[in-house]
């Protein structure tokens, strides 16, 4: 009898623990956090504030999530980078556009993820432990209910954001000359790395740049196509021949410059292509930071070919023996004096999988990244996490 009581008590304890974990995961999935990070590099120029938004997986009923997105305009970014998976049903397009309304007045770039193109379906959560969820999937969009992503793209472009779907773009933002290269969703094998711009060598700036509120030019497969103008004419980015090197060389002369890579999913092949292309800073999402993690921020999966330890955070790529751990919370990193590498910002995302709306030890997040030129760097220090 005592044994039976002990078994029942033990079973009841496990059930209670499971229910408690489930409740915690549900609550945690709506505990939105704004991460504040800084990337310090040598030079003298105005700081560049970048807001990174990703993986909202929005349903029309997600009023708290939509309010969080809307309130991000209060951060006053110079540039918005959106890395996809913003919707999860057709009715979410209008609420998402309404929540982004003020941010669409800010210069921005975007790519889409698979859940912008097609509706989500149920997957066995344990299957992710076996590898990325695209195992065995055919190239292209899966055979699922399509979502009205074209409506969202049309509004983004009409408001002046640059579409980086297998394309390039140039902008002048907050006194910086910025060049972008982006790819379509690598998780669904839609990425086609765009050809270099005709004329100047890869890594050079040429042509027309977009000032805040002005026209932009996107380059795909070596050809130019104008994006939607918003009223003011652009101005030359910088002189041809001024190439982009390591991030530490980005602030040179009167007009600082930088090349930025943008992708939905941070597959290694894409990160390597962007580094080889001269990117100093790369933005991606998709991973949800592992979504269901062990403390503290210990992801079990990345849903791509990155090590789970890189499922979220700010880190250097490629990884070296002296590479520090990714900055998961608020923090600052100092650009190292080495070429052939980039800093990668992987967002854990604002939402969660539609059919698995739980997050543990990995709160939903948006990222505010300040690129800060400084006159001198502390000797012997590479990066540090802030409290």
């Amino acid at each position: 009898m005592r044994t039976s009581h002990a078994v029942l008590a033990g079973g009841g304890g496990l059930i209670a623990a499971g229910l408690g974990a489930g409740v915690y995961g549900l609550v945690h999935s709506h505990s939105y956090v704004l991460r504040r990070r800084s990337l310090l590099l040598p030079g003298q120029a105005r700081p560049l504030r970048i807001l990174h938004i990703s993986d909202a997986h929005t349903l029309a009923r997600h009023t708290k999530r939509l309010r969080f997105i809307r309130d991000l305009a209060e951060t006053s970014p110079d540039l918005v980078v959106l890395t996809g998976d913003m919707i999860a049903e057709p009715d979410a397009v209008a609420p998402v556009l309404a929540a982004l309304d003020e941010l669409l007045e800010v210069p921005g770039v975007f790519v889409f993820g698979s859940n912008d193109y097609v509706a989500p379906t149920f997957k066995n959560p344990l299957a992710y432990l076996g590898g990325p969820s695209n195992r065995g999937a055919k190239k292209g969009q899966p055979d699922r209910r399509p979502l009205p992503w074209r409506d969202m793209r049309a509004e983004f472009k009409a408001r002046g954001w640059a579409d980086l779907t297998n394309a390039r773009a140039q902008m002048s933002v907050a006194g910086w000359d910025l060049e972008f290269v982006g790819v379509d969703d690598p998780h669904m094998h839609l990425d086609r790395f765009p050809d270099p711009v005709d004329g100047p060598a890869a890594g050079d700036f040429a042509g027309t740049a977009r000032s805040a509120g002005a026209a932009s030019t996107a380059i795909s497969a070596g050809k130019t196509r104008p994006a939607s103008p918003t009223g003011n004419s652009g101005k030359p980015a910088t002189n041809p021949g001024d190439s982009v090197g390591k991030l530490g060389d980005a602030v040179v002369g009167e007009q600082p410059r930088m090349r930025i890579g943008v992708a939905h999913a941070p597959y290694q092949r894409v990160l390597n292509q962007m580094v080889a292309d001269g990117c100093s800073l790369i933005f991606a999402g998709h991973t949800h930071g592992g979504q269901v993690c062990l403390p503290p921020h210990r992801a079990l999966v990345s849903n791509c070919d990155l090590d789970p330890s890189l499922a979220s955070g700010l880190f250097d790529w490629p990884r070296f023996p002296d590479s520090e751990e990714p900055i998961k919370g608020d923090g600052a990193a100092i650009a190292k004096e080495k070429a052939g590498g980039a800093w990668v910002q992987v967002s854990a995302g604002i939402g969660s999988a539609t059919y698995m709306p739980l997050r543990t030890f990995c709160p939903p997040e948006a990222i505010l990244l300040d690129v800060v030129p400084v006159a001198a760097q502390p000797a012997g220090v590479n990066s540090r996490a802030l409290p």
Side-chain angles (χ1 to χ4, degrees):
M1 183 64 70
R2 290 179 179 176
T3 301
S4 298
H5 287 166
V7 170
L8 289 173
L14 289 174
I15 293 173
L19 289 173
V23 171
Y24 166 74
L26 284 170
V27 172
H28 200 55
S29 68
H30 296 282
S31 301
Y32 304 104
V33 174
L34 176 65
R35 302 290 190 197
R36 297 178 180 269
R37 295 172 185 156
S38 298
L39 191 56
L40 311 180
L41 63 158
Q44 293 182 343
R46 179 188 183 280
L48 177 68
R49 172 162 289 186
I50 304 173
L51 176 64
H52 182 198
I53 299 173
S54 195
D55 295 88
H57 294 275
T58 310
L59 301 174
R61 68 171 185 267
H62 288 153
T63 55
K64 185 176 180 181
R65 187 172 304 173
L66 290 162
R67 184 165 60 251
F68 174 74
I69 295 172
R70 184 192 65 217
D71 291 345
L72 292 173
E74 297 177 1
T75 63
S76 301
D78 299 310
L79 174 72
V80 179
V81 176
L82 187 147
T83 51
D85 275 4
M86 290 299 293
I87 57 175
E89 64 176 4
D91 290 345
V93 173
V96 165
L97 290 175
L100 289 170
D101 182 62
E102 289 189 53
L103 288 172
L104 286 167
E105 297 296 324
V106 177
V109 297
F110 69 94
V111 294
F112 287 144
S114 63
N115 284 153
D116 294 306
Y117 296 130
V118 291
T121 58
F122 175 79
K123 297 183 180 71
N124 180 358
L126 297 178
Y128 287 89
L129 296 174
S133 60
N134 64 350
R135 300 188 311 279
K138 297 179 180 179
K139 292 185 177 182
Q141 298 176 17
D143 185 18
R144 301 194 322 238
R145 181 166 61 101
L147 294 175
W149 58 273
R150 291 180 179 84
D151 297 341
M152 192 162 54
R153 180 185 65 180
E155 182 65 15
F156 288 169
K157 294 179 68 174
R159 300 289 292 273
W161 281 15
D163 181 0
L164 295 181
T165 304
N166 297 330
R168 297 177 183 269
Q170 298 171 346
M171 296 183 185
S172 180
V173 176
W176 288 71
D177 287 333
L178 302 177
E179 187 178 66
F180 300 90
V181 59
V183 294
D184 205 350
D185 187 7
H187 190 64
M188 302 313 299
H189 312 286
L190 296 172
D191 53 303
R192 303 290 182 272
F193 203 83
D195 292 337
V197 181
D198 288 337
D204 294 350
F205 286 91
T208 303
R210 173 180 181 269
S211 300
S216 66
T217 299
I219 300 100
S220 179
K223 298 180 180 179
T224 61
R225 55 181 177 82
S228 302
T230 58
N232 299 321
S233 60
K235 63 184 183 66
T238 190
N239 294 325
D242 291 341
S243 61
V244 177
K246 60 183 179 293
L247 185 56
D249 291 336
V251 184
V252 180
E254 297 181 358
Q255 189 85 343
R257 63 189 185 273
M258 180 165 48
R259 176 172 291 177
I260 298 175
V262 181
H264 173 63
Y267 278 83
Q268 293 186 41
R269 68 178 185 276
V270 174
L271 300 184
N272 292 336
Q273 285 175 314
M274 289 180 171
V275 168
D277 194 66
C279 291
S280 299
L281 183 58
I282 301 171
F283 290 89
H286 170 71
T287 63
H288 298 188
Q291 189 165 318
V292 177
C293 300
L294 300 177
H297 303 289
R298 183 185 170 191
L300 301 177
V301 299
S302 68
N303 200 20
C304 64
D305 61 358
L306 279 185
D307 186 87
S309 65
L310 305 178
S312 67
L314 178 66
F315 55 88
D316 60 337
W317 184 269
R319 304 294 283 166
F320 297 98
D322 62 344
S323 292
E324 297 192 11
E325 292 298 312
I327 297 175
K328 301 285 188 178
D330 294 355
I334 296 176
K336 299 177 181 178
E337 293 296 325
K338 60 174 66 174
W343 285 90
V344 180
Q345 169 57 65
V346 178
S347 172
I350 295 174
S352 55
T354 303
Y355 293 98
M356 182 62 176
L358 304 176
R359 296 182 75 118
T360 60
F361 303 102
C362 181
E365 66 181 21
I367 312 295
L368 196 63
L369 179 65
D370 287 305
V371 179
V372 183
V374 293
Q377 298 183 35
V381 179
N382 287 326
S383 67
R384 63 187 176 92
L386 300 179

